[in-house]
Amino acid sequence: MAKAPKKAAALPVPAAPAAPVPKKAARTQKNMLDLGKQKVAVYASPKIAHAMKELTEDMSLYEGVRFTQILEAVYKQGNKDGARNAFEQIHAGVKAAEKAVPHQNPGKPKKR
């Protein structure tokens, strides 16, 4: 008498996939603004991005030029402020290094 084949072990049933975790809204959004000569990426909160979109939607040519001039001025000032902050950090580091070196001006040698 032939032996009956053994039953295969039951494979585990995969659990139902978990519900996807909802992603939160990004804190900042990248907005590309065309300033004529160059494009500038403006990272702003969703509220600011929405306000910029509303401002630029129904804008006349005059208002658009004025808005562009304001944005260019703000962008240039930001570049200047960033450069100034970088140089201030460098100068602070140099001053700290100078204080760390125990330098004394040469003078009259001590008598022995």
Side-chain angles (χ1 to χ4, degrees):
M1 189 159 135
K3 290 185 178 179
K6 292 183 179 179
K7 289 186 178 180
L11 295 175
V13 178
V21 177
K23 291 185 178 181
K24 294 182 180 179
R27 291 186 184 185
T28 59
Q29 294 178 352
K30 183 177 182 181
N31 302 293
M32 294 302 293
L33 293 176
D34 187 13
L35 298 181
K37 297 176 186 174
Q38 61 185 350
K39 287 191 175 187
V40 176
V42 176
Y43 293 90
S45 68
K47 287 183 181 180
I48 300 297
H50 182 68
M52 285 177 43
K53 185 177 179 182
E54 283 183 355
L55 281 174
T56 56
E57 233 171 49
D58 298 323
M59 194 176 283
S60 67
L61 179 63
Y62 175 77
E63 292 170 343
V65 170
R66 297 282 295 168
F67 185 65
T68 301
Q69 289 172 343
I70 291 169
L71 288 177
E72 284 179 344
V74 168
Y75 181 72
K76 288 177 184 176
Q77 187 62 44
N79 280 344
K80 290 177 185 177
D81 290 344
R84 185 184 68 233
N85 289 339
F87 285 119
E88 286 175 356
Q89 292 293 325
I90 290 171
H91 290 304
V94 169
K95 286 182 182 179
E98 287 174 352
K99 286 182 181 179
V101 175
H103 174 74
Q104 293 180 349
N105 289 332
K108 193 172 184 180
K110 293 180 181 179
K111 291 185 180 179
R112 296 182 186 190

